[in-house]
């Protein structure tokens, strides 16, 4: 079922959605996964702009295929090939694009640019990753957890490493849906303060538990899901040496650390991964890694979000 209440709305963060809306999107994604041709042609005559200021494999291609399979027209736009790259303002770009397309997705360096885009665009704007949040990734991750365990409520997620954009959005997705989350990161690399506050607020309603610790061993204790992400996110390349020194070896998801979670625990990673940095090859390529399902689910959740927003 299309999540009707999302029609015409922006999707900058899952925090803007009610728990029922998040769950509704996940259920619709599962439906679309069962029948890849469902709603084909539904977006006939509609166009979706996809602005990318950073590289992308999964997000770009899943959005492109999602729009195409629904019969719409995806338009890939490199930030530096638009007049944006020569200093045209976001406000002007938003007003012009809104006259052509039905939806704008954007991957940007600064989350504030998305907010500005959404402010000036007459058409809905969807976050395709910012420095703060990655809602489309978290939808796919929550679908993957639901597929594996049949529920989200009471599932314990351990996030190991950098408290980055994907960590922020996982905090929101988990706490909206009643999953517990324990985050282990070095001091100075915690998730964004506002996201932690939102997670606490969500938890008060959903019954989730949120923990922040410096100890990966503590975080993975009794965990059903062990998640990590790169230690050097896009745009942070200049900090690479310092970050690797801070995170390795303590925050690498090794076989040893993974075995301290539940024996049934799964390993998750949004990809792209750096084997030997945030995760050992035997974990990400091991039997309990679900990273390829996660990547596939990006397609189904992208479809669910776009269908619901475009109605
Ligand atoms: N996980 C993810 O967003 O991957 P891309 O950077 O390849 O889009
Ligand atoms: N944290 C990573 C996620 C990539 C999908 C980054 O921002 O580069």
């Amino acid at each position: 079922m299309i999540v009707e209440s999302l029609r015409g709305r922006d999707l900058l963060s899952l925090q803007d959605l009610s728990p029922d809306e998040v769950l509704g999107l996940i259920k619709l994604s599962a439906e679309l996964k069962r029948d890849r041709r469902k709603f084909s042609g539904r977006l006939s005559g509609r166009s979706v702009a996809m602005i990318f200021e950073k590289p992308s494999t999964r997000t770009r291609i899943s959005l492109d295929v999602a729009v195409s399979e629904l019969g719409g027209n995806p338009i890939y736009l490199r930030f530096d090939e638009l007049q944006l790259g020569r200093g045209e303002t976001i406000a002007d770009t938003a007003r012009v694009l809104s006259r052509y397309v039905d939806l704008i997705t954007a991957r940007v360096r600064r989350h504030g640019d998305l907010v500005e885009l959404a402010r000036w665009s007459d058409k809905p704007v969807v976050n395709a990753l910012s420095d703060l949040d990655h809602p489309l990734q978290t939808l796919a991750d929550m679908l993957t957890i639901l597929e594996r365990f049949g529920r989200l409520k009471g599932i314990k997620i351990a996030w190991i490493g950098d408290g980055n954009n994907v960590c922020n959005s996982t905090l929101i997705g988990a706490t909206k849906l009643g999953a517990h989350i324990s985050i282990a990161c070095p001091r100075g690399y915690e998730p964004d303060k506002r996201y932690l506050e939102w997670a606490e607020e969500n938890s008060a309603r959903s019954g989730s538990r949120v923990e922040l610790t410096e100890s990966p061993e503590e975080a993975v204790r009794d965990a059903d899901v062990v998640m990590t992400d790169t230690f050097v996110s896009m745009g942070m390349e200049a900090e690479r040496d310092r970050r690797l020194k801070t995170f390795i070896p303590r925050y690498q998801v090794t076989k040893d650390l993974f075995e301290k979670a539940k024996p049934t625990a799964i390993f998750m990673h949004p990809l792209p991964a750096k084997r030997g940095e945030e995760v050992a090859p035997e974990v990400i390529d091991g039997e309990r890694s679900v990273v390829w399902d996660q990547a596939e689910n990006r397609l189904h959740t992208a479809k669910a979000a776009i269908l619901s927003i475009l109605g």
Side-chain angles (χ1 to χ4, degrees):
M1 284 261 290
I2 289 180
V3 186
E4 301 284 354
S5 58
L6 292 179
R7 183 176 303 186
R9 277 167 58 190
D10 299 322
L11 174 50
L12 303 193
S13 170
L14 293 182
Q15 187 59 22
D16 304 332
L17 273 53
S18 72
D20 281 347
E21 287 168 340
V22 178
L23 202 60
L25 282 179
I26 293 169
K27 291 197 168 143
L28 174 59
S29 310
E31 226 178 294
L32 292 161
K33 184 171 184 172
R34 279 192 295 274
D35 179 3
R36 185 101 175 231
R37 275 173 304 207
K38 191 158 186 163
F39 296 116
S40 71
R42 183 74 171 237
L43 296 189
S44 166
R46 329 272 310 260
S47 294
V48 175
M50 311 190 301
I51 303 176
F52 279 82
E53 197 181 8
K54 295 174 174 182
S56 171
T57 297
R58 282 141 288 267
T59 308
R60 174 183 172 180
I61 298 166
S62 60
L63 283 169
D64 192 314
V65 174
V67 174
S68 304
E69 287 191 0
L70 295 170
N73 175 36
I75 307 169
Y76 174 68
L77 301 164
R78 258 179 62 162
F79 193 94
D80 59 351
E81 287 176 0
L82 291 166
Q83 297 288 9
L84 266 174
R86 292 179 57 247
E88 184 168 18
T89 65
I90 290 182
D92 289 358
T93 306
R95 284 177 286 190
V96 171
L97 284 181
S98 311
R99 301 281 177 112
Y100 301 136
V101 304
D102 299 287
L103 177 85
I104 302 173
T105 67
R107 168 168 288 196
V108 295
R109 284 182 212 282
R110 290 169 302 267
H111 191 82
D113 287 355
L114 271 178
V115 175
E116 176 82 353
L117 194 61
R119 177 170 167 226
W120 290 100
S121 169
D122 294 333
K123 301 292 166 57
V125 172
V126 173
N127 182 357
L129 180 145
S130 70
D131 54 339
L132 263 190
D133 206 314
H134 197 5
L136 294 177
Q137 179 68 49
T138 297
L139 284 175
D141 294 354
M142 296 300 134
L143 170 61
T144 310
I145 296 173
L146 186 65
E147 286 173 342
R148 289 288 160 156
F149 297 103
R151 67 193 164 100
L152 285 150
K153 261 208 178 336
I155 291 292
K156 179 179 172 183
I157 301 169
W159 176 278
I160 312 297
D162 192 13
N164 62 14
N165 44 6
V166 179
C167 179
N168 288 337
S169 54
T170 306
L171 255 172
I172 301 305
T175 56
K176 288 252 173 195
L177 301 174
H180 307 307
I181 180 163
S182 186
I183 297 168
C185 52
R187 201 167 300 163
Y189 293 88
E190 294 88 359
D192 186 86
K193 269 212 171 75
R194 271 167 308 167
Y195 281 76
L196 280 168
E197 285 164 14
W198 285 332
E200 291 294 348
E201 288 168 23
N202 298 340
S203 298
R205 279 180 225 121
S206 69
S208 302
R209 255 190 338 266
V210 180
E211 285 165 2
L212 195 55
T213 169
E214 280 181 60
S215 161
E217 287 75 18
E218 200 180 307
V220 300
R221 194 180 306 134
D222 294 323
D224 299 288
V225 177
V226 177
M227 253 190 218
T228 188
D229 186 13
T230 180
F231 293 150
V232 190
S233 281
M234 289 180 276
M236 296 191 170
E237 291 76 10
E239 297 175 24
R240 181 174 169 82
D241 290 348
R242 179 164 58 85
R243 286 179 158 265
L244 294 190
K245 268 193 212 113
T246 307
F247 287 105
I248 302 173
R250 192 172 181 204
Y251 293 89
Q252 184 180 97
V253 181
T254 57
K255 191 162 173 279
D256 202 40
L257 180 65
F258 189 46
E259 278 172 359
K260 292 189 165 73
K262 282 191 184 162
T264 48
I266 57 172
F267 173 76
M268 297 181 72
H269 191 307
L271 306 177
K274 278 272 168 66
R275 289 168 175 76
E277 291 185 8
E278 71 275 12
V279 60
E282 57 268 39
V283 175
I284 189 168
D285 298 317
E287 278 185 346
R288 286 188 283 133
S289 167
V290 298
V291 298
W292 314 121
D293 291 335
Q294 258 179 288
E296 177 189 332
N297 286 341
R298 293 294 309 272
L299 171 64
H300 312 300
T301 49
K303 266 187 179 169
I306 292 170
L307 263 172
S308 296
I309 292 170
L310 285 181

